[in-house]
């Protein structure tokens, strides 16, 4: 290590030595003249001054040695350690050598960097808890002056441990990075996202009112809970959200945290993905309101079905229409159907809902009297655990005199793989009744085609995420092509969903895909538009 006296320090020590010497000399001269003795200046200088000058120089050297060894070296070492710390965090971005002369200056620079780093969390690059708390305190102070309202969201990502065990930490880091990006998406500059723990994020949002908040939280949830594609793999994670409000519920930051935390615990305990804290009791406001609306809608016929055509890619006939649930009430249009189904599943409302859907479809099939018309119905996971379901469907078909071949059942690949044996029993039962079965969202679960072939399945619907990405993504194109070819060798027909443009449509035709569904062909239609569809585009 190169040790040299900093110029500034040396000059300072020397200057101080001269200064003290002159002060001393002046005071001796002053005392002597005040006492009235006439002693010559030079006599005093030779008698005392020279020895004092030497004394000052010796002490200056001692002070320098002390400073250099005990103060400068630790400063230099500290600066080097800080440089090392900063460099290792930034993988070598700041690797200038540390010189003693610039140590203090660099230390200041590194202090600033470290302070920034102390607020950030790698590898997501989001701020950490300390920074978030600072921001929250600021928001609370601001709210007291401006009356602005804030919501605190604690977002927990579930299943990280099993992903880490299966695929390693690298995969987890890449996944969390994407989660962080999605949480950040579409937020305003005034909003804030931070990472508290590996799988726990916090969001501070400025909100206008509770209604706007419910929609906002819902959107964040749906965006974040959507499937991920991490390092070439598709992944599903589950997300839990606990929400509290400032100043409506809490009057200080600590309380706001406490409430959001208890809402999050409630979400974990009840398996309900979004829970809003409500003063005193912790209830799921959105879920609670949704359940009420859902019950009301079932009682008062406030749901409707829309129908999206699935067409043959080669013959251009309409293979079937997929029935999709919708709220009639425009106020509920912001609530996604997936969330509605989720809430129905958790509140024992899926059975009446599925009954209503099957009945509505049977009524329509009876009324339309269109020979070609086949309607597909989506079943939920809970339906597939209900061993009375085949019997109820059978009863309904008989009641309306509908041929079972007119009803197609769609179940997702993920649903099948959750309880393969139990689900296989019900599907076999439905197959024996003469219903057609199709696997929805294929490619997102873990099912192998050979396993699916053992079930009475005739169609596979490749998940829209693969289809939509095909024009930009070679891997997806290859996956789709390989799936089509393999499915064909197993005598399964393939549907592509999410066909949004002509480019995708042409690619699928070339790949010899059997059917297509998507906005390019048609958006979901109202029931009374079905006849029209056949009249105008029946031989599409
Ligand atoms: P799904 O069964 O995979 O339905 C396809 C979803 O993709 C529908 O959304 C449809 O409107 C949408 N879609 C169709 N073509 C395109 C396209 O080209 N681009 C894009 N971006 N989207 C397209 P929807 O109606 O919101 O339904 C979402 C999910 O909710 C459905 O996924 C299904 O899992 C569930 N769902 C809908 N209706 C019912 C129902 O009656 N019962 C049950 N159990 N689940 C339902
Ligand atoms: Mg479907
Ligand atoms: Mg689908």
């Amino acid at each position: 290590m190169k040790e040299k006296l900093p110029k500034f320090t040396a000059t300072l020590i020397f200057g101080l030595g001269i200064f003290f010497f002159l002060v001393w000399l002046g005071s001796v001269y002053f005392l002597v003249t005040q006492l009235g003795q006439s002693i010559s200046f030079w006599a005093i200088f030779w008698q005392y001054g020279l020895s004092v000058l030497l004394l000052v120089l010796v002490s200056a050297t001692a002070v320098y040695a002390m400073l250099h060894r005990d103060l400068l070296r630790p400063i230099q070492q500290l600066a080097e350690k800080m440089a090392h710390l900063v460099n290792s965090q930034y993988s070598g971005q700041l690797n200038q050598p540390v010189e003693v002369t610039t140590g203090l200056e660099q230390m200041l620079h590194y202090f600033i960097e470290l302070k920034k780093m102390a607020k950030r969390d790698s590898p997501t690059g989001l701020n950490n808890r300390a920074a978030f708390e600072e921001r929250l305190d600021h928001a609370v102070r601001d709210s007291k002056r401006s009356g602005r309202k804030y919501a605190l969201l604690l977002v927990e990502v579930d299943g990280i441990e099993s992903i880490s065990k299966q695929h390693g930490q690298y995969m987890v880091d890449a996944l969390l990075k994407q989660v962080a990006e999605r949480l950040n998406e579409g937020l305003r500059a005034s909003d804030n996202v931070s990472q508290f723990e590996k799988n726990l994020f916090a969001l501070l949002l400025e909100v206008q009112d509770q209604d706007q908040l419910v929609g906002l939280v819902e959107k964040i949830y749906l965006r974040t809970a959507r499937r991920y594609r991490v390092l070439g793999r598709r992944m599903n994670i589950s997300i839990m959200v606990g929400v509290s409000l400032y100043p409506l519920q809490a009057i200080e930051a600590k309380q706001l945290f406490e409430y959001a935390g208890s809402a999050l615990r409630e979400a974990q305990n009840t398996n309900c993905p979004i829970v809003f804290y409500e003063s005193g009791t912790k209830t799921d406001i959105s879920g609670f309101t949704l359940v009420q609306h859902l019950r009301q809608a079932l009682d008062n016929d406030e749901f409707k079905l829309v129908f999206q055509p699935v067409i043959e890619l080669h013959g251009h006939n309409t293979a079937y229409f997929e029935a999709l649930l919708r709220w009639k009430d425009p106020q509920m249009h912001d609530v996604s159907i997936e969330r509605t189904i989720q809430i129905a599943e958790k509140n024992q409302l899926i059975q009446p809902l599925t009954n209503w859907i099957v009945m509505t479809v049977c009524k329509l099939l009876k009324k339309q009297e269109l020979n070609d018309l086949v309607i597909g119905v989506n079943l939920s996971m809970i339906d597939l655990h209900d061993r009375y379901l085949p019997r109820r469907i059978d009863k309904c078909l008989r009641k309306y005199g509908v041929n079972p071949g007119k009803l197609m059942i769609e179940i997702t690949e993920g649903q099948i793989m959750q309880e393969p044996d139990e689900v296989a029993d019900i599907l076999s039962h439905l197959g024996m009744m003469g219903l057609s079965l199709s696997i929805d969202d294929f490619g997102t679960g873990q099912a192998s085609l050979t396993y699916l072939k053992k079930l009475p399945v005739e169609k596979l619907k490749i998940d829209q995420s693969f289809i939509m990405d095909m024009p930009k993504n070679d891997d997806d194109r290859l996956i789709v092509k390989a799936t089509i070819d393999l499915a064909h060798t197993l005598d399964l027909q393939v549907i592509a969903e999410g066909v949004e443009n002509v480019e995708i449509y042409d690619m699928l035709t070339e790949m010899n895909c059997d059917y297509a569904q998507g906005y390019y062909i048609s958006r979901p239609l109202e029931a009374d538009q079905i006849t029209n569809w056949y009249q105008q585009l029946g031989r599409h």
Side-chain angles (χ1 to χ4, degrees), residues 15-28 41 52-53 56:
L16 280 175
I18 298 291
F19 174 72
F20 284 124
F21 173 65
L22 288 176
V23 168
W24 175 86
L25 204 58
S27 56
V28 169
F41 174 85
V52 170
L53 181 62
V56 166

Side-chain angles (χ1 to χ4, degrees), residues 1-2 26 162 272 316 346 352 359 374 387 418 487 519 530:
M1 195 193 306
K2 205 163 79 179
S162 76
C272 194
H316 301 309
K346 294 205 167 94
M359 187 191 70
V374 174
R387 58 196 173 96
Q418 274 184 38
Y519 296 165
I530 292 181

Side-chain angles (χ1 to χ4, degrees), residues 154-158 199-200 239-242 260-275:
L154 289 180
V155 179
E156 193 182 75
V157 180
D158 224 15
N199 64 337
L200 184 66
I239 303 271
M240 305 273 173
V241 189
S262 70
L264 181 63
R265 278 193 298 281
E266 189 77 6
Q268 289 155 343
N269 295 339
T270 54
N271 238 348
C272 194
I274 306 173
V275 175

